[in-house]
Amino acid sequence: MSKALQDLFDKNRSWAQNLEQRQPGFFSRLLEQQAPEYLWIGCSDSRVPANEIVGLMPGDLFVHRNVANVVVHSDLNCLSVMEFAIDLLKVRHIMVVGHYGCSGVKAAMNGVRIGIADNWLRHVEDVRNRHQTWLDTLESETQRHNALCELNVLEQAVHVCQTSVVREAWTRGQEVVVHGWVYGLHNGLLQDLRMTVGDADAVQAAYQDAVAQLKARYDRQRELGAG
Ligand code: CO
């Protein structure tokens, strides 16, 4: 095995030993069951390690990640994760977590062709198109990119709410709250985009509210810049 790969095994060994030393019986307890309260739907980007960011241990966070944290109604992978998380693990919160500087979002924003991912990122282009007129009013490419990262989170959070899995959970009275968050690569901080939805009737209003707040924030920045 190459030195670099051997390093990974060495690090793994000392990680497991450290954890077991600090919390004796940690792994054997996890063997019995996992009872995470949260499902994290985030970007695959290596700079956005879900558990680490929120300081959660193995067993505390159920995770689904893909390029640009997209939730597509026909994606069996994501739907299966959601069904398992909601129906079996009974998670109480689902957070869609985007991040600034997302290269998938940037490719969609500029219509850059990458390859197979073009078809995947087409969903983010749809978000861009829906808000294109407003996005064009932003002054810099960075602002447009940041704003699209945020808008994409809100849109994908709506998709989470629209899945059969979440709708059925709500219908039977199971408490599941959907959130939209964005993570800053530059400072390691999470920001709540204030879309928090716990029932089917509230989805559209929550989405529109969150979008309005988001746009007002950028509009304010622009006015400050102009003044
Ligand atoms: Co990304």
Side-chain angles (χ1 to χ4, degrees):
M1 198 183 305
S2 78
K3 172 85 175 65
L5 291 181
Q6 185 54 50
D7 262 9
L8 297 184
F9 281 90
D10 294 345
K11 281 182 177 151
N12 164 251
R13 188 166 287 276
S14 68
W15 170 79
Q17 279 169 353
N18 279 336
L19 192 47
E20 190 64 28
Q21 251 165 28
R22 276 185 286 132
Q23 299 183 42
F26 181 84
F27 291 105
S28 46
R29 276 197 302 278
L30 272 189
L31 210 53
E32 306 286 318
Q33 61 161 348
Q34 57 166 340
E37 282 195 32
Y38 316 100
L39 165 60
W40 172 292
I41 300 178
C43 183
S44 299
D45 194 303
S46 64
R47 298 164 295 179
V48 194
N51 279 66
E52 250 178 288
I53 289 173
V54 284
L56 288 177
M57 299 295 284
D60 291 339
L61 191 65
F62 207 63
V63 175
H64 177 76
R65 290 166 70 182
N66 61 43
V67 174
N69 44 272
V70 174
V71 177
V72 183
H73 298 307
S74 55
D75 177 7
L76 283 179
N77 185 355
C78 184
L79 290 175
S80 305
V81 168
M82 286 180 56
E83 183 178 74
F84 192 84
I86 294 173
D87 292 7
L88 280 97
L89 299 174
K90 309 270 191 269
V91 299
R92 302 174 74 90
H93 300 275
I94 302 176
M95 43 284 275
V96 175
V97 188
H99 67 100
Y100 296 120
C102 183
S103 44
V105 169
K106 188 165 196 172
M109 181 173 85
N110 297 328
V112 175
R113 303 274 71 102
I114 303 173
I116 287 180
D118 298 349
N119 304 286
W120 183 250
L121 293 171
R122 176 67 233 186
H123 298 288
V124 184
E125 283 189 40
D126 290 343
V127 181
R128 179 202 65 191
N129 292 347
R130 201 156 303 140
H131 302 279
Q132 185 78 66
T133 312
W134 177 78
L135 284 167
D136 286 341
T137 67
L138 298 176
E139 271 160 8
S140 68
E141 161 124 0
T142 307
Q143 277 191 328
R144 279 193 293 279
H145 187 193
N146 287 349
L148 186 54
C149 289
E150 294 181 25
L151 288 167
N152 183 49
V153 166
L154 298 178
E155 192 98 0
Q156 305 311 330
V158 170
H159 293 169
V160 169
C161 299
Q162 290 169 337
T163 57
S164 53
V165 187
V166 168
R167 291 164 62 108
E168 281 163 17
W170 283 341
T171 302
R172 63 176 178 261
Q174 184 178 339
E175 192 187 318
V176 181
V177 184
V178 179
H179 311 264
W181 295 355
V182 66
Y183 173 77
L185 296 176
H186 59 294
N187 60 6
L189 296 178
L190 281 171
Q191 191 185 328
D192 185 354
L193 293 175
R194 306 206 178 170
M195 180 166 160
T196 302
V197 194
D199 77 276
D201 295 332
V203 177
Q204 278 313 314
Y207 168 77
Q208 277 158 15
D209 235 44
V211 169
Q213 286 189 52
L214 181 166
K215 291 184 176 176
R217 184 155 38 81
Y218 282 88
D219 292 342
R220 249 190 332 270
Q221 274 174 21
R222 187 181 41 227
E223 281 154 26
L224 285 173

